[in-house]
């Protein structure tokens, strides 16, 4: 597959990875994911999922995030409008900014 990166001011803002199976297609499907740096600069883009601090190192190493590690869900920077806009806490397959409990800066998407 192919990986594309959109840079803004020299920093990765969006990343897209084309599935290897799509390499034969003329216009392969592509989904863009904001980088943690982009979420730090624009924290209202994704809803936040807060996790226990000890879980962070495992998630950073690539472990799956399970419900037991989740402390709660929040709107970026305490704003109320994401809940009103998005509805339920998290939909299946929805991109979220992962933060440590008590913190605001995301370390993963």
């Amino acid at each position: 597959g192919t990986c594309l990166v959109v840079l803004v001011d020299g920093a990765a803002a969006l990343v897209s990875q084309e599935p290897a199976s799509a390499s034969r297609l003329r216009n392969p499907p592509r989904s863009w994911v904001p980088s943690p740096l982009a979420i730090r600069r624009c924290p209202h883009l994704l809803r936040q999922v807060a996790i226990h601090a000890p879980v962070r190192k495992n998630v950073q190493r690539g472990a799956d995030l399970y419900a037991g590690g989740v402390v709660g869900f929040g709107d970026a920077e305490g704003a109320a409008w994401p809940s009103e806009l998005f509805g339920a806490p998290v939909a299946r397959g929805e991109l979220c900014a992962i933060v440590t409990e008590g913190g605001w800066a995301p370390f993963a998407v």
Side-chain angles (χ1 to χ4, degrees):
T2 304
C3 182
L4 298 175
V5 179
V6 174
L7 300 176
V8 176
D9 293 333
L14 295 170
V15 178
S16 175
Q17 186 169 2
E18 173 187 300
S21 61
S23 61
R24 296 182 302 272
L25 300 176
R26 184 173 196 174
N27 292 317
R30 187 171 302 282
S31 60
W32 292 92
V33 177
S35 70
L37 178 61
I39 298 300
R40 286 182 184 187
R41 290 183 178 177
C42 301
H44 61 279
L45 291 177
L46 297 178
R47 204 172 338 200
Q48 294 179 342
V49 175
I51 64 170
H52 294 286
V55 177
R56 178 180 176 150
K57 65 180 177 184
N58 296 323
V59 172
Q60 286 178 315
R61 290 184 192 147
D64 291 333
L65 180 60
Y66 291 95
V70 174
V71 175
F73 305 94
D75 300 323
E77 295 192 347
W81 69 265
S83 288
E84 296 168 8
L85 179 66
F86 296 128
V90 176
R92 185 178 196 159
E94 178 182 353
L95 292 176
C96 296
I98 308 298
V99 299
T100 305
E101 182 180 20
W104 68 269
F107 65 90
V109 174

